Every structure is written in C-alpha cells, then in structure tokens.
Amino acid sequence: MHTGGRPDRSRLRAAGRFQGEFLAVVADVVAERNTRLCSALLLTRAHGIADMELSGHPGPDSLGTTPEEIVDTLVRMVTDAGAAT
C-alpha cells in the first residue's frame, strides 16, 4: 500500500523485479500480444478481491463464494480469453 511521500528505492527495485517475473508467467499462458492487458486485469482484480476480503464481503453468506473461487475463476477466464484473442 502506498502511504504517500517519496517511494523507497529498494521497494521500487523489488516491484520492478516482480513485474518482470509476473509478465513472464502471464506470457506463458496467454498470447504474447495480450500479456500486458491480461497482467493488468489479474493485478487489479487481485487487489480488489483482497480489499473485499479484508472488509468481509466475499464469503458464502454474502456473495455465495470465496475469494479463492473468485481468483480461480478469474485466472481461468483470463487464460481462456488471452489465448483466444
């Protein structure tokens, strides 16, 4: 989470390394031209799912599902769509 102020250089380097590795993993399962879009979809949705989980929203009693099921479905959808387009 970004708390304002000047970013720490070590965090920026770590984020850069993570981004490269993440893009490589996504590129392995989607068409090369879709790597950045699919990566953005996965990252933004993962953040949203985590935020919702912290607030207690996704669960069997509220949405009838779990965060794990949502992530599994998202990955399947992105993989299928990324490979098809």
Side-chain angles (χ1 to χ4, degrees), residues 32-45:
E32 185 70 31
R33 67 184 180 281
N34 296 323
T35 299
R36 291 198 177 269
L37 173 61
C38 290
S39 295
L41 286 169
L42 289 168
L43 283 175
T44 58
R45 291 303 78 224

Side-chain angles (χ1 to χ4, degrees), residues 30-81:
V30 302
E32 185 70 31
R33 67 184 180 281
N34 296 323
T35 299
R36 291 198 177 269
L37 173 61
C38 290
S39 295
L41 286 169
L42 289 168
L43 283 175
T44 58
R45 291 303 78 224
H47 281 278
I49 293 165
D51 285 345
M52 288 185 73
E53 183 176 19
L54 289 173
S55 65
H57 288 298
D61 295 333
S62 60
L63 294 178
T65 189
T66 65
E68 292 81 10
E69 289 174 327
I70 296 169
V71 170
D72 288 346
T73 301
L74 174 64
V75 169
R76 235 182 355 266
M77 290 170 66
V78 167
T79 302
D80 291 347

